Amino acid sequence: MQVLFVHCHPEPTSFNAALTSIGVEVFEERGDRVEISDLYAESFDPVEKPDHYIRRSDTTVFSPLAEQRHAYRENTLPADVRREIARLERADLVVFQFPIWWHSAPAMLKGWMDRVFVSGGLYSSTMRYDTGYFRGRRALCSATTGAPEAAFEPGGRAGEIDKILWSTQYSLYYMGFDILPPFVSYGVQGHGFSYASDDGFARLMEETKSAWRSRLVGIDADRPLRFPGWEDWDEVGRLRPKAETSGRS
Ligand SMILES: Cc1cc2nc3c(=O)[nH]c(=O)nc-3n(C[C@H](O)[C@H](O)[C@H](O)COP(=O)(O)O)c2cc1C
């Protein structure tokens, strides 16, 4: 199997970096091939803007969707976007490693999606969700939080984790991926707020790393979350009465 880590953290000694290293180790031990998109280390530019398009379809008004479509068709997509697409195309499993920042994925990862999931090339009105470009491939979000696990229970202070991860996971589903249940490392809070004693914190981090390792060792048995698909929606996109529930909750 070919595995791609999309690693989104600016600090090489962070807990996020430790989780990516463990992941790489586990898959290499299994004999899988591993690639890493290290977004900060590679200085990925997450800002979708006119400068990325050297031959515009319209130089008077910048329409990101129109320019993406045009660049895909003309084979003039920016080199970094082409590199990311090639990495995704090689991967059977894509692991997204990121911290929760402001109740969501960091802007870097969101911007990576804005630019890499190219309109008219990697998705269209008929090529999305369960007919998406990456169907048959799996994606797994591994997120870290500062707040402790209890604070993510329904109505809790930190917000519900399914809602926090929803836009990232649903966008990946939009692109056709099967979404494996997320792995969340709670309470990764070394500075500022402290929710545990130093000893307790160190123990929790070790337990979390070991849970991550076990999760990846058993990844082949994971079943994807269930999201509605084309057959579940009517012509305006409304859920038909009998469709099964989504992976949102
Ligand atoms: C800009 C920013 C926003 C954050 N927002 C949240 C948040 O909404 N919820 C939360 O639980 N932690 C939040 N945190 C804490 C991070 O999730 C936490 O520091 C990170 O998961 C720890 O992993 P690391 O040591 O690898 O950075 C935030 C941190 C930063 C820097």
Side-chain angles (χ1 to χ4, degrees):
M1 168 166 85
Q2 176 99 15
V3 184
L4 173 65
F5 280 83
V6 177
H7 177 75
C8 181
H9 198 290
E11 170 53 48
T13 63
S14 62
F15 191 73
N16 274 266
L19 293 184
T20 292
S21 298
I22 290 170
V24 171
E25 214 175 276
V26 168
F27 289 114
E28 285 183 346
E29 275 164 15
R30 284 166 40 122
D32 296 318
R33 293 176 306 280
V34 180
E35 275 192 287
I36 306 179
S37 277
D38 190 337
L39 305 188
Y40 285 91
E42 294 175 340
S43 299
F44 184 81
D45 180 355
V47 181
E48 179 61 311
K49 59 187 172 201
D51 305 5
H52 294 305
Y53 299 93
I54 46 170
R55 273 189 232 125
R56 295 264 296 272
S57 68
D58 182 341
T59 51
T60 55
V61 176
F62 177 63
S63 160
L65 294 180
E67 294 305 336
Q68 287 186 358
R69 217 172 299 131
H70 179 70
Y72 185 85
R73 223 179 10 239
E74 302 287 303
N75 211 13
T76 55
L77 281 173
D80 55 354
V81 168
R82 274 188 277 125
R83 181 193 66 213
E84 296 306 299
I85 293 172
R87 285 170 167 170
L88 287 166
E89 285 175 338
R90 284 192 287 273
D92 304 296
L93 169 67
V94 186
V95 181
F96 292 85
Q97 181 64 57
F98 57 94
I100 296 301
W101 282 1
W102 289 114
H103 316 103
S104 186
M108 173 63 106
L109 181 55
K110 173 65 167 51
W112 178 89
M113 289 184 174
D114 293 346
R115 294 193 56 221
V116 173
F117 294 161
V118 173
S119 176
L122 271 54
Y123 71 92
S124 67
S125 60
T126 53
M127 182 174 59
R128 48 191 178 148
Y129 306 109
D130 50 350
T131 55
Y133 189 83
F134 293 110
R135 65 193 174 280
R137 298 159 198 263
R138 298 182 300 164
L140 164 60
C141 289
S142 169
T144 67
T145 76
E149 184 166 9
F152 290 91
E153 286 174 14
R157 184 179 74 219
E160 288 169 39
I161 198 66
D162 287 344
K163 289 180 182 159
I164 287 172
L165 291 175
W166 184 81
S167 67
T168 307
Q169 296 193 137
Y170 201 67
S171 299
L172 295 171
Y173 170 57
Y174 188 98
M175 296 305 298
F177 284 101
D178 286 331
I179 312 300
L180 300 182
F183 182 85
V184 183
S185 303
Y186 293 100
V188 186
Q189 196 67 77
H191 311 276
F193 301 83
S194 184
Y195 301 110
S197 64
D198 285 354
D199 277 1
F201 177 69
R203 201 166 45 245
L204 176 64
M205 294 304 94
E206 285 315 306
E207 285 166 8
T208 304
K209 285 195 268 186
S210 134
W212 175 230
R213 175 177 286 280
S214 309
R215 170 72 194 273
L216 293 181
V217 166
I219 194 92
D220 292 340
D222 274 13
R223 290 286 152 262
L225 300 174
R226 164 87 177 120
F227 289 94
W230 285 109
E231 293 197 346
D232 301 318
W233 295 310
D234 67 13
E235 57 291 346
V236 293
R238 193 177 286 132
L239 196 63
R240 294 184 199 280
K242 276 182 130 178
E244 290 181 44
T245 50
S246 77
R248 182 170 182 172
S249 57

PDB file of all heavy atoms in Angstrom, residues 73-103:
ATOM      1  N   ARG A  73      -7.128  22.372 -17.791  1.00  0.00           N
ATOM      2  CA  ARG A  73      -7.323  22.013 -19.209  1.00  0.00           C
ATOM      3  C   ARG A  73      -6.090  22.324 -20.040  1.00  0.00           C
ATOM      4  O   ARG A  73      -5.687  21.558 -20.894  1.00  0.00           O
ATOM      5  CB  ARG A  73      -8.525  22.797 -19.753  1.00  0.00           C
ATOM      6  CG  ARG A  73      -9.435  21.952 -20.601  1.00  0.00           C
ATOM      7  CD  ARG A  73     -10.646  22.692 -21.144  1.00  0.00           C
ATOM      8  NE  ARG A  73     -10.657  24.118 -20.968  1.00  0.00           N
ATOM      9  CZ  ARG A  73     -11.604  24.788 -20.306  1.00  0.00           C
ATOM     10  NH1 ARG A  73     -12.597  24.125 -19.755  1.00  0.00           N
ATOM     11  NH2 ARG A  73     -11.564  26.098 -20.209  1.00  0.00           N
ATOM     12  N   GLU A  74      -5.456  23.453 -19.756  1.00  0.00           N
ATOM     13  CA  GLU A  74      -4.303  23.902 -20.540  1.00  0.00           C
ATOM     14  C   GLU A  74      -2.988  23.324 -20.032  1.00  0.00           C
ATOM     15  O   GLU A  74      -1.923  23.654 -20.533  1.00  0.00           O
ATOM     16  CB  GLU A  74      -4.199  25.437 -20.485  1.00  0.00           C
ATOM     17  CG  GLU A  74      -5.416  26.175 -20.980  1.00  0.00           C
ATOM     18  CD  GLU A  74      -5.553  26.103 -22.490  1.00  0.00           C
ATOM     19  OE1 GLU A  74      -4.605  26.507 -23.181  1.00  0.00           O
ATOM     20  OE2 GLU A  74      -6.605  25.610 -22.955  1.00  0.00           O
ATOM     21  N   ASN A  75      -3.075  22.549 -18.942  1.00  0.00           N
ATOM     22  CA  ASN A  75      -1.861  21.971 -18.348  1.00  0.00           C
ATOM     23  C   ASN A  75      -0.899  23.048 -17.825  1.00  0.00           C
ATOM     24  O   ASN A  75       0.328  22.935 -18.001  1.00  0.00           O
ATOM     25  CB  ASN A  75      -1.171  21.080 -19.385  1.00  0.00           C
ATOM     26  CG  ASN A  75      -0.448  19.930 -18.722  1.00  0.00           C
ATOM     27  OD1 ASN A  75      -0.666  19.676 -17.525  1.00  0.00           O
ATOM     28  ND2 ASN A  75       0.425  19.272 -19.437  1.00  0.00           N
ATOM     29  N   THR A  76      -1.466  24.093 -17.238  1.00  0.00           N
ATOM     30  CA  THR A  76      -0.619  25.159 -16.682  1.00  0.00           C
ATOM     31  C   THR A  76      -0.873  25.339 -15.183  1.00  0.00           C
ATOM     32  O   THR A  76      -0.662  26.428 -14.633  1.00  0.00           O
ATOM     33  CB  THR A  76      -0.880  26.513 -17.396  1.00  0.00           C
ATOM     34  OG1 THR A  76      -2.278  26.813 -17.312  1.00  0.00           O
ATOM     35  CG2 THR A  76      -0.450  26.487 -18.837  1.00  0.00           C
ATOM     36  N   LEU A  77      -1.293  24.269 -14.523  1.00  0.00           N
ATOM     37  CA  LEU A  77      -1.470  24.367 -13.061  1.00  0.00           C
ATOM     38  C   LEU A  77      -0.121  24.675 -12.430  1.00  0.00           C
ATOM     39  O   LEU A  77       0.924  24.226 -12.923  1.00  0.00           O
ATOM     40  CB  LEU A  77      -1.985  23.037 -12.503  1.00  0.00           C
ATOM     41  CG  LEU A  77      -3.474  22.728 -12.664  1.00  0.00           C
ATOM     42  CD1 LEU A  77      -3.755  21.298 -12.202  1.00  0.00           C
ATOM     43  CD2 LEU A  77      -4.337  23.721 -11.903  1.00  0.00           C
ATOM     44  N   PRO A  78      -0.125  25.412 -11.301  1.00  0.00           N
ATOM     45  CA  PRO A  78       1.143  25.705 -10.625  1.00  0.00           C
ATOM     46  C   PRO A  78       1.871  24.415 -10.235  1.00  0.00           C
ATOM     47  O   PRO A  78       1.233  23.395  -9.935  1.00  0.00           O
ATOM     48  CB  PRO A  78       0.704  26.462  -9.365  1.00  0.00           C
ATOM     49  CG  PRO A  78      -0.697  26.893  -9.600  1.00  0.00           C
ATOM     50  CD  PRO A  78      -1.290  25.984 -10.629  1.00  0.00           C
ATOM     51  N   ALA A  79       3.208  24.460 -10.226  1.00  0.00           N
ATOM     52  CA  ALA A  79       4.019  23.262  -9.988  1.00  0.00           C
ATOM     53  C   ALA A  79       3.717  22.632  -8.624  1.00  0.00           C
ATOM     54  O   ALA A  79       3.667  21.403  -8.502  1.00  0.00           O
ATOM     55  CB  ALA A  79       5.497  23.629 -10.090  1.00  0.00           C
ATOM     56  N   ASP A  80       3.509  23.472  -7.595  1.00  0.00           N
ATOM     57  CA  ASP A  80       3.255  22.880  -6.273  1.00  0.00           C
ATOM     58  C   ASP A  80       1.911  22.141  -6.237  1.00  0.00           C
ATOM     59  O   ASP A  80       1.789  21.092  -5.609  1.00  0.00           O
ATOM     60  CB  ASP A  80       3.353  23.938  -5.150  1.00  0.00           C
ATOM     61  CG  ASP A  80       2.459  25.143  -5.353  1.00  0.00           C
ATOM     62  OD1 ASP A  80       1.817  25.256  -6.424  1.00  0.00           O
ATOM     63  OD2 ASP A  80       2.385  25.989  -4.436  1.00  0.00           O
ATOM     64  N   VAL A  81       0.932  22.651  -6.948  1.00  0.00           N
ATOM     65  CA  VAL A  81      -0.373  21.987  -7.006  1.00  0.00           C
ATOM     66  C   VAL A  81      -0.248  20.665  -7.770  1.00  0.00           C
ATOM     67  O   VAL A  81      -0.762  19.628  -7.342  1.00  0.00           O
ATOM     68  CB  VAL A  81      -1.427  22.920  -7.649  1.00  0.00           C
ATOM     69  CG1 VAL A  81      -2.704  22.164  -7.982  1.00  0.00           C
ATOM     70  CG2 VAL A  81      -1.722  24.087  -6.710  1.00  0.00           C
ATOM     71  N   ARG A  82       0.501  20.696  -8.869  1.00  0.00           N
ATOM     72  CA  ARG A  82       0.702  19.445  -9.635  1.00  0.00           C
ATOM     73  C   ARG A  82       1.407  18.402  -8.783  1.00  0.00           C
ATOM     74  O   ARG A  82       1.061  17.217  -8.800  1.00  0.00           O
ATOM     75  CB  ARG A  82       1.492  19.716 -10.915  1.00  0.00           C
ATOM     76  CG  ARG A  82       0.575  20.144 -12.052  1.00  0.00           C
ATOM     77  CD  ARG A  82       1.273  20.246 -13.377  1.00  0.00           C
ATOM     78  NE  ARG A  82       1.933  21.533 -13.492  1.00  0.00           N
ATOM     79  CZ  ARG A  82       3.219  21.715 -13.760  1.00  0.00           C
ATOM     80  NH1 ARG A  82       4.003  20.680 -13.949  1.00  0.00           N
ATOM     81  NH2 ARG A  82       3.716  22.934 -13.835  1.00  0.00           N
ATOM     82  N   ARG A  83       2.398  18.850  -7.997  1.00  0.00           N
ATOM     83  CA  ARG A  83       3.132  17.920  -7.127  1.00  0.00           C
ATOM     84  C   ARG A  83       2.197  17.293  -6.090  1.00  0.00           C
ATOM     85  O   ARG A  83       2.216  16.079  -5.860  1.00  0.00           O
ATOM     86  CB  ARG A  83       4.257  18.693  -6.411  1.00  0.00           C
ATOM     87  CG  ARG A  83       5.113  17.832  -5.480  1.00  0.00           C
ATOM     88  CD  ARG A  83       5.980  18.705  -4.583  1.00  0.00           C
ATOM     89  NE  ARG A  83       5.149  19.473  -3.676  1.00  0.00           N
ATOM     90  CZ  ARG A  83       5.434  20.706  -3.222  1.00  0.00           C
ATOM     91  NH1 ARG A  83       6.540  21.309  -3.591  1.00  0.00           N
ATOM     92  NH2 ARG A  83       4.619  21.326  -2.389  1.00  0.00           N
ATOM     93  N   GLU A  84       1.341  18.099  -5.500  1.00  0.00           N
ATOM     94  CA  GLU A  84       0.411  17.571  -4.491  1.00  0.00           C
ATOM     95  C   GLU A  84      -0.596  16.607  -5.112  1.00  0.00           C
ATOM     96  O   GLU A  84      -0.922  15.575  -4.523  1.00  0.00           O
ATOM     97  CB  GLU A  84      -0.318  18.720  -3.772  1.00  0.00           C
ATOM     98  CG  GLU A  84       0.582  19.634  -2.966  1.00  0.00           C
ATOM     99  CD  GLU A  84       1.438  18.885  -1.955  1.00  0.00           C
ATOM    100  OE1 GLU A  84       0.873  18.241  -1.069  1.00  0.00           O
ATOM    101  OE2 GLU A  84       2.687  18.919  -2.074  1.00  0.00           O
ATOM    102  N   ILE A  85      -1.089  16.934  -6.295  1.00  0.00           N
ATOM    103  CA  ILE A  85      -2.046  16.034  -6.958  1.00  0.00           C
ATOM    104  C   ILE A  85      -1.368  14.690  -7.269  1.00  0.00           C
ATOM    105  O   ILE A  85      -1.942  13.619  -7.049  1.00  0.00           O
ATOM    106  CB  ILE A  85      -2.619  16.680  -8.246  1.00  0.00           C
ATOM    107  CG1 ILE A  85      -3.483  17.893  -7.885  1.00  0.00           C
ATOM    108  CG2 ILE A  85      -3.430  15.663  -9.049  1.00  0.00           C
ATOM    109  CD1 ILE A  85      -3.942  18.716  -9.083  1.00  0.00           C
ATOM    110  N   ALA A  86      -0.128  14.758  -7.736  1.00  0.00           N
ATOM    111  CA  ALA A  86       0.593  13.510  -8.069  1.00  0.00           C
ATOM    112  C   ALA A  86       0.778  12.660  -6.815  1.00  0.00           C
ATOM    113  O   ALA A  86       0.623  11.433  -6.849  1.00  0.00           O
ATOM    114  CB  ALA A  86       1.945  13.844  -8.699  1.00  0.00           C
ATOM    115  N   ARG A  87       1.079  13.309  -5.697  1.00  0.00           N
ATOM    116  CA  ARG A  87       1.224  12.559  -4.436  1.00  0.00           C
ATOM    117  C   ARG A  87      -0.098  11.898  -4.063  1.00  0.00           C
ATOM    118  O   ARG A  87      -0.129  10.741  -3.640  1.00  0.00           O
ATOM    119  CB  ARG A  87       1.655  13.521  -3.310  1.00  0.00           C
ATOM    120  CG  ARG A  87       3.112  13.927  -3.400  1.00  0.00           C
ATOM    121  CD  ARG A  87       3.423  15.049  -2.425  1.00  0.00           C
ATOM    122  NE  ARG A  87       4.846  15.263  -2.273  1.00  0.00           N
ATOM    123  CZ  ARG A  87       5.380  16.297  -1.628  1.00  0.00           C
ATOM    124  NH1 ARG A  87       4.607  17.219  -1.075  1.00  0.00           N
ATOM    125  NH2 ARG A  87       6.688  16.419  -1.533  1.00  0.00           N
ATOM    126  N   LEU A  88      -1.188  12.644  -4.180  1.00  0.00           N
ATOM    127  CA  LEU A  88      -2.505  12.087  -3.844  1.00  0.00           C
ATOM    128  C   LEU A  88      -2.855  10.922  -4.766  1.00  0.00           C
ATOM    129  O   LEU A  88      -3.397   9.910  -4.329  1.00  0.00           O
ATOM    130  CB  LEU A  88      -3.582  13.172  -3.954  1.00  0.00           C
ATOM    131  CG  LEU A  88      -3.590  14.230  -2.847  1.00  0.00           C
ATOM    132  CD1 LEU A  88      -4.467  15.418  -3.246  1.00  0.00           C
ATOM    133  CD2 LEU A  88      -4.081  13.646  -1.529  1.00  0.00           C
ATOM    134  N   GLU A  89      -2.522  11.081  -6.035  1.00  0.00           N
ATOM    135  CA  GLU A  89      -2.870  10.020  -6.998  1.00  0.00           C
ATOM    136  C   GLU A  89      -2.097   8.731  -6.729  1.00  0.00           C
ATOM    137  O   GLU A  89      -2.562   7.651  -7.056  1.00  0.00           O
ATOM    138  CB  GLU A  89      -2.611  10.508  -8.428  1.00  0.00           C
ATOM    139  CG  GLU A  89      -3.672  11.489  -8.890  1.00  0.00           C
ATOM    140  CD  GLU A  89      -3.382  12.092 -10.250  1.00  0.00           C
ATOM    141  OE1 GLU A  89      -2.189  12.084 -10.663  1.00  0.00           O
ATOM    142  OE2 GLU A  89      -4.333  12.575 -10.894  1.00  0.00           O
ATOM    143  N   ARG A  90      -0.914   8.871  -6.126  1.00  0.00           N
ATOM    144  CA  ARG A  90      -0.126   7.658  -5.821  1.00  0.00           C
ATOM    145  C   ARG A  90      -0.621   6.957  -4.556  1.00  0.00           C
ATOM    146  O   ARG A  90      -0.276   5.817  -4.307  1.00  0.00           O
ATOM    147  CB  ARG A  90       1.352   8.034  -5.607  1.00  0.00           C
ATOM    148  CG  ARG A  90       2.110   8.320  -6.888  1.00  0.00           C
ATOM    149  CD  ARG A  90       3.604   8.392  -6.633  1.00  0.00           C
ATOM    150  NE  ARG A  90       4.025   9.586  -5.933  1.00  0.00           N
ATOM    151  CZ  ARG A  90       4.336  10.738  -6.518  1.00  0.00           C
ATOM    152  NH1 ARG A  90       4.273  10.837  -7.831  1.00  0.00           N
ATOM    153  NH2 ARG A  90       4.718  11.779  -5.813  1.00  0.00           N
ATOM    154  N   ALA A  91      -1.430   7.637  -3.747  1.00  0.00           N
ATOM    155  CA  ALA A  91      -1.734   7.130  -2.406  1.00  0.00           C
ATOM    156  C   ALA A  91      -3.017   6.294  -2.349  1.00  0.00           C
ATOM    157  O   ALA A  91      -4.032   6.647  -2.942  1.00  0.00           O
ATOM    158  CB  ALA A  91      -1.859   8.299  -1.441  1.00  0.00           C
ATOM    159  N   ASP A  92      -2.947   5.180  -1.621  1.00  0.00           N
ATOM    160  CA  ASP A  92      -4.157   4.400  -1.322  1.00  0.00           C
ATOM    161  C   ASP A  92      -4.802   4.924  -0.040  1.00  0.00           C
ATOM    162  O   ASP A  92      -6.000   4.805   0.162  1.00  0.00           O
ATOM    163  CB  ASP A  92      -3.796   2.922  -1.097  1.00  0.00           C
ATOM    164  CG  ASP A  92      -3.046   2.353  -2.280  1.00  0.00           C
ATOM    165  OD1 ASP A  92      -3.646   2.296  -3.354  1.00  0.00           O
ATOM    166  OD2 ASP A  92      -1.853   2.005  -2.126  1.00  0.00           O
ATOM    167  N   LEU A  93      -3.957   5.448   0.847  1.00  0.00           N
ATOM    168  CA  LEU A  93      -4.427   5.991   2.124  1.00  0.00           C
ATOM    169  C   LEU A  93      -3.745   7.344   2.344  1.00  0.00           C
ATOM    170  O   LEU A  93      -2.521   7.455   2.182  1.00  0.00           O
ATOM    171  CB  LEU A  93      -4.038   5.043   3.267  1.00  0.00           C
ATOM    172  CG  LEU A  93      -4.223   5.584   4.694  1.00  0.00           C
ATOM    173  CD1 LEU A  93      -5.699   5.783   5.032  1.00  0.00           C
ATOM    174  CD2 LEU A  93      -3.580   4.625   5.721  1.00  0.00           C
ATOM    175  N   VAL A  94      -4.534   8.355   2.685  1.00  0.00           N
ATOM    176  CA  VAL A  94      -3.971   9.674   2.991  1.00  0.00           C
ATOM    177  C   VAL A  94      -4.274   9.996   4.458  1.00  0.00           C
ATOM    178  O   VAL A  94      -5.440   9.981   4.867  1.00  0.00           O
ATOM    179  CB  VAL A  94      -4.553  10.774   2.081  1.00  0.00           C
ATOM    180  CG1 VAL A  94      -3.838  12.101   2.340  1.00  0.00           C
ATOM    181  CG2 VAL A  94      -4.426  10.394   0.610  1.00  0.00           C
ATOM    182  N   VAL A  95      -3.222  10.252   5.220  1.00  0.00           N
ATOM    183  CA  VAL A  95      -3.389  10.595   6.635  1.00  0.00           C
ATOM    184  C   VAL A  95      -3.143  12.095   6.788  1.00  0.00           C
ATOM    185  O   VAL A  95      -2.080  12.598   6.383  1.00  0.00           O
ATOM    186  CB  VAL A  95      -2.393   9.822   7.531  1.00  0.00           C
ATOM    187  CG1 VAL A  95      -2.613  10.181   9.003  1.00  0.00           C
ATOM    188  CG2 VAL A  95      -2.544   8.311   7.325  1.00  0.00           C
ATOM    189  N   PHE A  96      -4.118  12.801   7.327  1.00  0.00           N
ATOM    190  CA  PHE A  96      -3.986  14.243   7.562  1.00  0.00           C
ATOM    191  C   PHE A  96      -3.664  14.447   9.032  1.00  0.00           C
ATOM    192  O   PHE A  96      -4.462  14.068   9.898  1.00  0.00           O
ATOM    193  CB  PHE A  96      -5.283  14.969   7.190  1.00  0.00           C
ATOM    194  CG  PHE A  96      -5.560  14.938   5.714  1.00  0.00           C
ATOM    195  CD1 PHE A  96      -6.204  13.856   5.137  1.00  0.00           C
ATOM    196  CD2 PHE A  96      -5.137  15.975   4.891  1.00  0.00           C
ATOM    197  CE1 PHE A  96      -6.442  13.802   3.768  1.00  0.00           C
ATOM    198  CE2 PHE A  96      -5.366  15.940   3.519  1.00  0.00           C
ATOM    199  CZ  PHE A  96      -6.021  14.847   2.953  1.00  0.00           C
ATOM    200  N   GLN A  97      -2.492  15.011   9.306  1.00  0.00           N
ATOM    201  CA  GLN A  97      -2.063  15.240  10.687  1.00  0.00           C
ATOM    202  C   GLN A  97      -2.041  16.738  10.964  1.00  0.00           C
ATOM    203  O   GLN A  97      -1.298  17.480  10.312  1.00  0.00           O
ATOM    204  CB  GLN A  97      -0.661  14.632  10.896  1.00  0.00           C
ATOM    205  CG  GLN A  97      -0.137  14.800  12.315  1.00  0.00           C
ATOM    206  CD  GLN A  97      -1.004  14.052  13.322  1.00  0.00           C
ATOM    207  OE1 GLN A  97      -1.187  12.852  13.206  1.00  0.00           O
ATOM    208  NE2 GLN A  97      -1.551  14.768  14.288  1.00  0.00           N
ATOM    209  N   PHE A  98      -2.866  17.187  11.912  1.00  0.00           N
ATOM    210  CA  PHE A  98      -2.953  18.632  12.167  1.00  0.00           C
ATOM    211  C   PHE A  98      -3.494  18.912  13.559  1.00  0.00           C
ATOM    212  O   PHE A  98      -4.235  18.108  14.134  1.00  0.00           O
ATOM    213  CB  PHE A  98      -3.859  19.316  11.118  1.00  0.00           C
ATOM    214  CG  PHE A  98      -5.254  18.742  11.045  1.00  0.00           C
ATOM    215  CD1 PHE A  98      -6.292  19.305  11.780  1.00  0.00           C
ATOM    216  CD2 PHE A  98      -5.533  17.651  10.245  1.00  0.00           C
ATOM    217  CE1 PHE A  98      -7.591  18.785  11.704  1.00  0.00           C
ATOM    218  CE2 PHE A  98      -6.821  17.117  10.179  1.00  0.00           C
ATOM    219  CZ  PHE A  98      -7.850  17.689  10.910  1.00  0.00           C
ATOM    220  N   PRO A  99      -3.166  20.078  14.119  1.00  0.00           N
ATOM    221  CA  PRO A  99      -3.769  20.514  15.384  1.00  0.00           C
ATOM    222  C   PRO A  99      -5.105  21.208  15.118  1.00  0.00           C
ATOM    223  O   PRO A  99      -5.315  21.744  14.026  1.00  0.00           O
ATOM    224  CB  PRO A  99      -2.752  21.530  15.916  1.00  0.00           C
ATOM    225  CG  PRO A  99      -2.136  22.115  14.683  1.00  0.00           C
ATOM    226  CD  PRO A  99      -2.152  21.044  13.624  1.00  0.00           C
ATOM    227  N   ILE A 100      -5.984  21.176  16.105  1.00  0.00           N
ATOM    228  CA  ILE A 100      -7.211  21.983  16.008  1.00  0.00           C
ATOM    229  C   ILE A 100      -6.846  23.413  16.387  1.00  0.00           C
ATOM    230  O   ILE A 100      -6.337  23.665  17.490  1.00  0.00           O
ATOM    231  CB  ILE A 100      -8.308  21.443  16.954  1.00  0.00           C
ATOM    232  CG1 ILE A 100      -8.733  20.026  16.543  1.00  0.00           C
ATOM    233  CG2 ILE A 100      -9.516  22.385  16.974  1.00  0.00           C
ATOM    234  CD1 ILE A 100      -9.283  19.892  15.136  1.00  0.00           C
ATOM    235  N   TRP A 101      -7.075  24.318  15.474  1.00  0.00           N
ATOM    236  CA  TRP A 101      -6.859  25.741  15.713  1.00  0.00           C
ATOM    237  C   TRP A 101      -8.187  26.449  15.461  1.00  0.00           C
ATOM    238  O   TRP A 101      -8.752  26.356  14.373  1.00  0.00           O
ATOM    239  CB  TRP A 101      -5.792  26.291  14.756  1.00  0.00           C
ATOM    240  CG  TRP A 101      -4.372  25.942  15.154  1.00  0.00           C
ATOM    241  CD1 TRP A 101      -3.952  25.208  16.227  1.00  0.00           C
ATOM    242  CD2 TRP A 101      -3.166  26.319  14.455  1.00  0.00           C
ATOM    243  NE1 TRP A 101      -2.569  25.110  16.245  1.00  0.00           N
ATOM    244  CE2 TRP A 101      -2.058  25.782  15.175  1.00  0.00           C
ATOM    245  CE3 TRP A 101      -2.909  27.056  13.287  1.00  0.00           C
ATOM    246  CZ2 TRP A 101      -0.735  25.956  14.770  1.00  0.00           C
ATOM    247  CZ3 TRP A 101      -1.591  27.227  12.878  1.00  0.00           C
ATOM    248  CH2 TRP A 101      -0.520  26.699  13.626  1.00  0.00           C
ATOM    249  N   TRP A 102      -8.658  27.147  16.444  1.00  0.00           N
ATOM    250  CA  TRP A 102      -9.937  27.855  16.329  1.00  0.00           C
ATOM    251  C   TRP A 102     -11.047  26.923  15.827  1.00  0.00           C
ATOM    252  O   TRP A 102     -11.714  27.197  14.840  1.00  0.00           O
ATOM    253  CB  TRP A 102      -9.796  29.116  15.462  1.00  0.00           C
ATOM    254  CG  TRP A 102      -9.011  30.150  16.204  1.00  0.00           C
ATOM    255  CD1 TRP A 102      -7.786  30.642  15.899  1.00  0.00           C
ATOM    256  CD2 TRP A 102      -9.393  30.792  17.433  1.00  0.00           C
ATOM    257  NE1 TRP A 102      -7.365  31.536  16.844  1.00  0.00           N
ATOM    258  CE2 TRP A 102      -8.333  31.647  17.803  1.00  0.00           C
ATOM    259  CE3 TRP A 102     -10.523  30.719  18.253  1.00  0.00           C
ATOM    260  CZ2 TRP A 102      -8.376  32.414  18.963  1.00  0.00           C
ATOM    261  CZ3 TRP A 102     -10.553  31.493  19.403  1.00  0.00           C
ATOM    262  CH2 TRP A 102      -9.490  32.324  19.736  1.00  0.00           C
ATOM    263  N   HIS A 103     -11.171  25.808  16.544  1.00  0.00           N
ATOM    264  CA  HIS A 103     -12.314  24.904  16.315  1.00  0.00           C
ATOM    265  C   HIS A 103     -12.391  24.405  14.887  1.00  0.00           C
ATOM    266  O   HIS A 103     -13.475  24.174  14.350  1.00  0.00           O
ATOM    267  CB  HIS A 103     -13.632  25.592  16.731  1.00  0.00           C
ATOM    268  CG  HIS A 103     -13.484  26.312  18.033  1.00  0.00           C
ATOM    269  ND1 HIS A 103     -13.344  27.670  18.121  1.00  0.00           N
ATOM    270  CD2 HIS A 103     -13.359  25.841  19.295  1.00  0.00           C
ATOM    271  CE1 HIS A 103     -13.164  28.008  19.390  1.00  0.00           C
ATOM    272  NE2 HIS A 103     -13.160  26.923  20.114  1.00  0.00           N
TER     273      HIS A 103
END
